[in-house]
Amino acid sequence: MIVDLDVHQGNGTAAIFNGDPSVFTFSMHGDKNFPFKKEVSDLDVPLADGTGDDEYLALLQSHLLDVLNHHQPDFVFYLAGADPFEGDRLGRIKMTIDGLRRRDEMVMEACTKARLPVAISMSGGYANDIDAIVTIHANTIRAAATLCHSTFVS
């Protein structure tokens, strides 16, 4: 399963795995962001410009749990985009750094509960504030480290 939470649609993975029932592609992305011609993922959740933390996280929670329960993947590739950040020049989504941290924790917790291994890829990040991009990516690493620690210590 691919969980693509970059602000841009996961058009590459959608195209590559189109028609392949062994890979489920899930993309939450800005509806009006590039690419303007979208591919068809197994689950696309297009987001309106200005979508903030509460709406984003509620949509992610409901869709992620549904997908994990119904499709029961063996492995998750997680694209942790920094570009849904409110300060991103290309993003059009208005998530805070804290909201993005909670997003990462949500994905990690859901995968842990489902006993799924996760491979994480950093993606996006076009804010003028480089410190914000670094913080967002560092929070993703912290969420993964917490997942690993809780998995191996428990």
Side-chain angles (χ1 to χ4, degrees):
M1 178 175 162
I2 297 168
V3 176
D4 190 329
L5 300 183
D6 189 88
V7 81
H8 303 97
Q9 190 218 21
N11 60 317
T13 53
I16 291 167
F17 295 110
N18 186 15
D20 183 345
S22 70
V23 179
F24 188 92
T25 55
F26 167 36
S27 176
M28 281 183 55
H29 52 268
D31 187 36
K32 294 182 180 172
N33 275 96
F34 181 86
F36 302 111
K37 180 188 178 302
K38 309 288 193 248
E39 297 291 334
V40 178
S41 302
D42 292 302
L43 176 60
D44 283 303
V45 180
L47 304 169
D49 287 359
T51 298
D53 291 351
D54 292 340
E55 182 180 0
Y56 186 104
L57 294 171
L59 286 167
L60 176 60
Q61 181 75 25
S62 66
H63 289 295
L64 182 62
L65 294 177
D66 184 55
V67 167
L68 290 175
N69 289 331
H70 286 94
H71 299 282
Q72 300 181 341
D74 296 317
F75 194 92
V76 172
F77 287 94
Y78 172 39
L79 281 80
D83 46 6
F85 174 55
E86 63 191 347
D88 195 274
R89 293 173 300 166
L90 305 178
R92 303 173 76 138
I93 303 298
K94 300 298 179 198
M95 291 192 71
T96 64
I97 289 175
D98 185 58
L100 290 164
R101 179 191 52 77
R102 290 185 290 150
R103 173 203 66 180
D104 294 338
E105 291 170 350
M106 188 180 296
V107 171
M108 300 303 163
E109 288 170 10
C111 290
T112 299
K113 284 182 182 177
R115 303 184 59 84
L116 289 169
V118 182
I120 302 166
S121 175
M122 305 300 178
S123 61
Y126 310 99
N128 288 325
D129 182 353
I130 300 300
D131 290 338
I133 297 169
V134 170
T135 299
I136 293 164
H137 287 311
N139 285 342
T140 303
I141 294 166
R142 285 185 193 98
T146 299
L147 167 73
C148 288
H149 179 74
S150 67
T151 301
F152 293 111
V153 172
S154 301

